Amino acid sequence: MLFLKDMSCGYGALTVVNNLSLHIPKGIVYALIGANGAGKSSTIMTIAGQVSLKNGSIEFEGHDISKVPLKDRIRRGIAVAPEGRRLFSDMTVEENLAMGSYTLPTNHFSENKNKVLELFPRLGERFTQQAGSLSGGEQQMLAIGRALMSRPKLLIIDELSLGLMPKVIDLCYLAIEKLKNEGVTILLVEQNTARAFEVADEVCVLESGLNVWQGKAEDAKKDPKLVDAYLGLN
Ligand SMILES: Nc1ncnc2c1ncn2[C@@H]1O[C@H](COP(=O)(O)OP(=O)(O)O)[C@@H](O)[C@H]1O
Ligand SMILES: [Mg+2]
C-alpha cells in the first residue's frame, strides 16, 4: 500500500531521516519505534506532506505522491492523528470532527461522525464540549476520531499512548484492533515499545534518522539487541 523508497527528509538545510525504505502492506498494523529525536514524527509528517521530502519517493496505492499536496493526500486516504494531538481547543468536539473532513468533496459528516462515536462513545458524551476542556485520553480519542472523519485507508497515529492512563491506553488499542478488522491499515508511532509490539504485525526501528531494524514484530520480540534496547525495562 505504502512504499518509502530511499526517503530523506528534514527542515531547511537539516536532514533528519536518511535513505529510509519501507513497505507497509494493506491491512496491517505497522509500528515505527525509536528513541526521542530518532525521526519518527518527521517520517510520518513527510508521508502526510507536512515535512519536506529531500530525496527518494513516496508511493501510495501504486501512485507516486511525493509531490502531491497535503489535502490531496487526505483525499487519497491518508490521515494523521499527530503528536500532541493539535486539536482546535476553543472548538467543540463536534466542530473538531467536522474539521477532519471539510476538505473532502463529499464529506458524509453525519455518517462518519456516527462511526467515530460508535468507536469512542465517550466523545458522544462530550459532543458539545470544547476540546480544550477534555481529559488527555478524550483528546487523544478526538484526535484519532478527527483523522477517521476522512475515512482513511491509512491511519497514522503519532505517540498513541504518550501521557495517557493505562485504562485509556487500553481503549485506544481496542479501537486499533477494531479498525484493523475493518480493513484500515495503521501506522503507529510509539514510545511504549512493548505495547506496540502486542498489536503490530511489522516493525521498523529508527535510530538517529537511520533504519536499524525492520521485519516482523514476532521476530523483533526475539532479537536480543532490540529486547535489550527497547524491551529491557518492560
Ligand atoms: N521543526 C523542526 N525544525 C528543525 N528540526 C526539527 C524540527 N522538528 C524536529 N526536528 C529535529 O528532527 C529530529 C527528529 O525529530 P522527530 O522527527 O520529532 O523525532 P521523534 O518523533 O522520533 O522524537 C530531531 O533532531 C529534532 O530536533
Ligand atoms: Mg515524535
Side-chain angles (χ1 to χ4, degrees):
M1 166 174 258
L2 182 87
F3 283 94
L4 299 185
K5 294 180 179 163
D6 274 331
M7 188 278 283
S8 299
C9 66
Y11 308 88
L14 185 70
T15 298
V16 298
V17 177
N18 286 287
N19 302 317
L20 174 63
S21 292
L22 57 83
H23 172 217
I24 304 180
K26 191 170 163 26
I28 73 160
V29 177
Y30 194 101
L32 185 59
I33 65 164
N36 228 336
K40 305 179 297 296
S41 297
S42 302
T43 297
I44 61 167
M45 287 319 212
T46 305
I47 296 170
Q50 295 190 45
V51 167
S52 323
L53 180 72
K54 290 179 165 289
N55 232 319
S57 65
I58 305 169
E59 202 177 279
F60 183 64
E61 294 198 301
H63 299 279
D64 187 335
I65 60 160
S66 307
K67 295 196 170 78
V68 170
L70 165 76
K71 74 173 185 342
D72 293 327
R73 295 193 198 194
I74 298 172
R75 286 185 189 173
R76 283 173 190 257
I78 299 175
V80 184
E83 185 173 2
R85 290 137 209 169
R86 298 200 211 153
L87 298 169
F88 303 96
S89 56
D90 295 339
M91 288 167 52
T92 64
V93 167
E94 179 178 18
E95 289 163 345
N96 270 278
L97 290 179
M99 294 304 282
S101 58
Y102 85 103
T103 58
L104 301 182
T106 43
N107 71 25
H108 302 292
F109 175 77
S110 99
E111 186 189 332
N112 291 344
K113 172 209 73 176
N114 288 341
K115 281 211 78 174
V116 169
L117 299 188
E118 203 179 294
L119 191 66
F120 296 122
R122 189 85 66 87
L123 293 179
E125 295 161 23
R126 303 277 183 269
F127 204 52
T128 55
Q129 220 168 291
Q130 286 191 333
S133 71
L134 301 178
S135 71
E138 290 162 352
Q139 291 191 5
Q140 184 64 293
M141 292 176 201
L142 181 52
I144 297 170
R146 183 180 58 182
L148 288 171
M149 288 299 288
S150 59
R151 287 283 186 104
K153 297 172 187 163
L154 175 66
L155 172 66
I156 304 176
I157 306 175
D158 197 355
E159 301 292 4
L160 177 63
S161 65
L162 193 67
L164 302 183
M165 316 245 292
K167 259 192 193 159
V168 181
I169 297 174
D170 289 344
L171 282 176
C172 289
Y173 271 95
L174 203 62
I176 300 278
E177 304 260 6
K178 282 186 189 161
L179 291 166
K180 183 187 172 182
N181 289 337
E182 288 173 17
V184 181
T185 308
I186 295 160
L187 171 55
L188 193 62
V189 169
E190 261 290 11
Q191 296 264 339
N192 187 341
T193 309
R195 200 65 208 247
F197 279 12
E198 280 172 27
V199 66
D201 300 292
E202 294 189 29
V203 173
C204 174
V205 182
L206 283 185
E207 273 176 23
S208 309
L210 293 172
N211 169 6
V212 296
W213 200 96
Q214 199 163 4
K216 297 209 175 306
E218 61 202 58
D219 296 331
K221 283 187 256 187
K222 293 181 211 145
D223 186 304
K225 263 197 218 144
L226 291 187
V227 170
D228 198 33
Y230 296 100
L231 295 166
L233 297 173
N234 294 287

